[in-house]
């Protein structure tokens, strides 16, 4: 019985970890998407920052979304293990974006770690699921200046 209770959280955490890796993949749903679509599916970023601003083709920015969820499907303490499964915790998702056109070049989860059962990957899963499920997938307009998003979030 104890082994079943320990196996279930590990399996559920593995599902969340898989979704995060899926979101980061170059062939995934989020990398290569339009930043406007990402904003439409998960909301206005909490922070934006110009990373390269030369006025050329190599200009980039980083947008960050923060998500916090206190609900968990399973919250228990077994001897020394504090296990939370089902999305409880804090998540930060960052997107590296081309300035011209707003193409998402990379997705990262800087505070999430897959090395523990109670990791924040579980908290990131609802955000990633929302982004993947509700992505409008509009074409990228090469004239769109993604830097117009910088400073939009306060």
């Amino acid at each position: 019985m104890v082994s079943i209770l320990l196996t279930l959280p590990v399996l559920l955490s593995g599902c969340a970890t898989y979704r995060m890796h899926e979101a980061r993949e170059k062939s995934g749903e989020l990398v290569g998407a339009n930043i406007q679509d990402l904003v439409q599916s998960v909301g206005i970023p909490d922070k934006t920052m110009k990373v390269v601003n030369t006025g050329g083709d190599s200009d980039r920015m980083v947008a960050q979304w923060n998500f916090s969820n206190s609900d968990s499907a399973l919250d228990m303490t077994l001897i020394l293990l504090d296990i939370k499964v089902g999305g409880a915790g804090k998540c930060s998702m960052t997107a590296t974006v081309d300035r011209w056109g707003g193409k998402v070049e990379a997705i990262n989860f800087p505070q999430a770690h897959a090395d523990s059962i109670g990791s924040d990957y579980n908290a990131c899963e609802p955000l990633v699921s929302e982004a993947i499920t509700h992505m409008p997938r509009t074409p990228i307009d090469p004239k769109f200046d993604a830097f117009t998003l910088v400073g939009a979030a306060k």
Side-chain angles (χ1 to χ4, degrees):
M1 181 65 171
V2 172
S3 64
I4 292 173
L5 290 175
L6 291 175
T7 304
L8 182 62
V10 171
L11 291 175
L12 293 175
S13 293
C15 293
T17 302
Y18 174 76
R19 292 297 289 239
M20 301 313 107
H21 291 294
E22 178 185 19
R24 287 185 185 144
E25 292 295 319
K26 295 275 186 218
S27 61
E29 298 285 333
L30 302 183
V31 175
N34 183 334
I35 186 65
Q36 293 171 314
D37 289 347
L38 197 55
V39 167
Q40 186 175 348
S41 62
V42 297
I44 297 170
D46 297 297
K47 298 177 185 177
T48 54
M49 179 179 73
K50 298 174 187 176
V51 178
V52 179
N53 187 9
T54 62
D57 292 338
S58 63
D59 287 358
R60 301 277 185 274
M61 74 171 213
V62 172
Q64 178 177 324
W65 290 263
N66 296 309
F67 178 75
S68 180
N69 186 5
S70 60
D71 296 332
S72 64
L74 177 63
D75 187 359
M76 63 181 173
T77 303
L78 294 173
I79 305 171
L80 298 175
L81 298 175
D82 183 24
I83 300 171
K84 292 181 182 178
V85 176
K90 295 179 182 178
C91 172
S92 291
M93 179 176 83
T94 61
T96 304
V97 180
D98 282 339
R99 176 180 185 172
W100 303 107
K103 180 180 177 183
V104 175
E105 293 292 329
I107 295 285
N108 288 298
F109 304 91
Q111 296 175 339
H113 304 285
D115 57 357
S116 65
I117 294 173
S119 78
D120 286 337
Y121 269 127
N122 295 326
C124 291
E125 200 280 331
L127 183 70
V128 171
S129 180
E130 186 69 20
I132 291 172
T133 305
H134 295 99
M135 184 70 65
R137 296 173 193 15
T138 56
I140 291 175
D141 178 5
K143 296 177 186 172
F144 172 70
D145 183 358
F147 279 11
T148 59
L149 294 173
V150 175
K154 304 247 183 231

